[in-house]
Amino acid sequence: MSFIAGTVIKTLAELIEPSGKSIDTWSFKVSYKATPALLIVCAILVSQRQYYGEPISCDAGAARGGIDQDVLESYCWMYSTFNIPREYKGACSAGDIEYYPESIVYNSYYQWVPLYLTFMAVVFYIPRLLWLCWEGGLMKFFTRGTSTREIEDKDEKKERLVKFFSNNIKNKYNTYFFGFVFCEHLNFFIVVFQFLLTHKFLNHRFLDYGFKVWQYYLLPTEEQQMFGVINPMCNTFPRIASCTYWRWGGGGHQENINAICILGLNIVNDKVFLVIWWWYLFVALVSLIRLICRYIQCRFEYIRYHLIHARMNRYFRRSNKTKKIEEYLKTCKLGDWFVLYQLSKNLNRSFFMDFLTELSVRYDEKEILDPTDTGQLGKQIGDTLVTMLLKPSYTSVEGGEDKDQDVV
């Protein structure tokens, strides 16, 4: 079990962070890295029979003499129901919950749990795939040879990056920024969608599942017994269910045999979905807080400046051009600020400070873009989100000397 889980997590890690560069935020990683890993581990856990034995075991009582036990259990695994009368005294049974006199409610969805958990893991990874397409390798381009402690040809690389950033600065990175914000919104909507989908998957017993379990275990055992409070875990995942098995009798007539079945799988399912419920709540809150923070960042340039200042505080204290840097960070476009903030997490900090200082000085001297370069300006205006989606945004020359590169 530990070997399988370790292999899966290692594979996910290689898939999730192929470049080793930070191109998103920690809250983004919670959605596409931690959540799929948790769901895959849960899918493996509910597939391991050593923790609960056979997923279903049935007892047909006096009629079991002429029944093949394997056939009965296979049938009931697909067609067992919640319809157990309240008179049944078994603990944690479907009879503890509401009785359905007019309809048959099947609980065969339990056999789909591993596949369903895997499907949810894939859905949570969709925003990451979109962002990898839209990001286009920009951070990899900027950080090539500039993220190590010792940087060769430091001045030459700084000049190259300043020119590249300057030539693409007029709203060029707004598409980059708003693509990322779209993915952050998508993370939030996906976790809400997963809440509702799982609620439907579990016969409308998931939306408040974690809260009800928490409330139940807050009550002392005496009060639980005195007031006849039903464990919500039994409500959502009963251990005992009913099965009506139809077959042809010896006289050529159809007969039915009623069996009581123990759903051993549910001793794992109830705990797995309890963990998932609380995790979804955590992810939803983190995503919502991140969206609120992002709106604040978009609204107040003072906040944007201090986010970079906080990361580079030691270098800001040493600089004699902090006023120009502050003016530039407060007046630049949202996309330009966001790219700079991402660079502050990936570049060598001393190199990034020199790069930011040079960029701010040139901006102050109105040397950011040559107004006579109409070809470059037209190229900037023509860049769209669709273009970034359909082909890589940045290309690199592997091997040899670094060369100036343009957006394709």
Side-chain angles (χ1 to χ4, degrees):
M1 172 63 187
S2 59
F3 172 77
I4 296 175
T7 303
V8 170
I9 293 174
K10 183 178 179 181
T11 303
L12 283 174
E14 294 177 355
L15 177 65
I16 287 169
E17 206 70 57
S19 66
K21 305 300 179 184
S22 177
I23 62 174
D24 43 50
T25 61
W26 71 268
S27 59
F28 203 104
K29 288 180 172 66
V30 168
S31 292
Y32 76 78
K33 181 181 287 188
T35 304
L38 173 66
L39 292 171
I40 292 297
V41 170
C42 289
I44 295 173
L45 186 62
V46 299
S47 303
Q48 303 301 306
R49 294 188 177 184
Q50 65 264 34
Y51 295 106
Y52 54 83
E54 294 297 325
I56 188 170
S57 300
C58 296
D59 178 20
R64 67 173 177 262
I67 302 175
D68 186 304
Q69 191 68 19
D70 291 336
V71 173
L72 174 66
E73 291 178 354
S74 296
Y75 180 90
C76 292
W77 175 239
M78 294 182 287
Y79 300 112
S80 60
T81 72
F82 283 116
N83 298 64
I84 292 182
R86 290 184 177 276
E87 292 76 15
Y88 183 78
K89 301 299 182 182
C92 204
S93 68
D96 289 336
I97 62 177
E98 63 270 21
Y99 184 54
Y100 302 90
E102 299 179 357
S103 62
I104 298 177
V105 181
Y106 294 100
N107 55 29
S108 56
Y109 55 83
Y110 295 147
Q111 60 192 279
W112 295 96
V113 167
L115 292 176
Y116 179 72
L117 293 175
T118 304
F119 165 75
M120 291 196 297
V122 172
V123 172
F124 271 104
Y125 195 70
I126 290 176
R128 168 67 171 181
L129 292 177
L130 292 176
W131 178 233
L132 285 174
C133 293
W134 289 335
E135 200 274 339
L138 180 62
M139 287 300 112
K140 184 178 180 180
F141 169 81
F142 271 114
T143 58
R144 192 180 53 182
T146 58
S147 58
T148 57
R149 179 167 303 204
E150 298 295 333
I151 302 177
E152 297 181 1
D153 302 323
K154 183 176 180 180
D155 292 336
E156 180 183 344
K157 290 180 179 178
K158 180 183 69 176
E159 181 66 20
R160 176 172 60 86
L161 293 183
V162 168
K163 284 184 178 179
F164 181 85
F165 196 93
S166 301
N167 290 338
N168 296 279
I169 203 168
K170 291 292 184 180
N171 292 330
K172 190 69 175 181
Y173 302 123
N174 280 355
T175 300
Y176 185 91
F177 173 67
F178 289 115
F180 184 75
V181 172
F182 170 78
C183 290
E184 287 187 315
H185 281 78
L186 192 58
N187 282 330
F188 176 73
F189 290 126
I190 282 178
V191 71
V192 173
F193 167 75
Q194 294 283 24
F195 249 117
L196 299 176
L197 184 63
T198 307
H199 184 60
K200 176 69 174 178
F201 178 72
L202 297 178
N203 283 337
H204 305 282
R205 293 179 175 87
F206 183 75
L207 207 56
D208 54 355
Y209 175 61
F211 179 74
K212 283 186 174 180
V213 172
W214 177 58
Q215 290 287 88
Y216 173 79
Y217 282 105
L218 284 179
L219 293 174
T221 305
E222 296 77 10
E223 292 188 22
Q224 294 175 6
Q225 297 175 351
M226 182 184 303
F227 297 106
V229 181
I230 304 301
N231 188 340
M233 301 175 83
C234 293
N235 191 333
T236 307
F237 299 97
R239 272 67 156 183
I240 301 174
S242 173
C243 173
T244 301
Y245 175 53
W246 291 87
R247 69 171 186 171
W248 291 99
H253 297 285
Q254 194 174 27
E255 62 180 11
N256 68 78
I257 297 172
N258 186 260
I260 291 295
C261 298
I262 299 174
L263 301 172
L265 179 60
N266 279 350
I267 66 174
V268 177
N269 278 336
D270 57 6
K271 299 169 183 62
V272 163
F273 279 92
L274 179 62
V275 171
I276 290 175
W277 191 93
W278 286 106
W279 181 257
Y280 278 4
L281 181 62
F282 169 73
V283 174
L285 290 176
V286 167
S287 300
L288 182 60
I289 292 173
R290 169 55 64 180
L291 291 179
I292 294 173
C293 291
R294 189 67 71 195
Y295 293 146
I296 294 174
Q297 290 172 11
C298 294
R299 180 67 179 83
F300 300 102
E301 64 276 1
Y302 178 83
I303 299 295
R304 298 197 295 271
Y305 164 70
H306 277 278
L307 283 172
I308 292 183
H309 185 280
R311 294 191 62 85
M312 308 295 298
N313 183 51
R314 180 177 58 168
Y315 298 95
F316 268 77
R317 290 201 303 265
R318 298 175 182 175
S319 176
N320 57 2
K321 292 183 170 61
T322 54
K323 289 295 183 182
K324 289 185 178 181
I325 295 175
E326 180 178 357
E327 180 183 354
Y328 169 66
L329 291 177
K330 287 183 176 181
T331 56
C332 68
K333 300 296 182 180
L334 283 171
D336 305 328
W337 168 84
F338 180 69
V339 171
L340 289 172
Y341 183 73
Q342 293 296 92
L343 288 175
S344 70
K345 299 188 292 185
N346 289 285
L347 294 180
N348 175 291
R349 294 204 172 191
S350 176
F351 179 83
F352 173 76
M353 190 63 189
D354 292 341
F355 164 72
L356 180 60
T357 301
E358 183 68 21
L359 198 63
S360 302
V361 169
R362 294 196 185 189
Y363 177 83
D364 185 61
E365 295 172 354
K366 308 301 181 182
E367 295 180 0
I368 293 300
L369 184 66
D370 184 0
T372 62
D373 190 359
T374 56
Q376 180 67 32
L377 182 60
K379 185 178 180 182
Q380 293 173 359
I381 296 174
D383 188 20
T384 65
L385 180 61
V386 175
T387 305
M388 294 184 69
L389 176 62
L390 294 179
K391 60 183 179 179
S393 300
Y394 301 90
T395 58
S396 58
V397 178
E398 298 295 339
E401 296 181 357
D402 294 335
K403 299 180 181 180
D404 292 346
Q405 302 179 32
D406 296 322
V407 178
V408 296

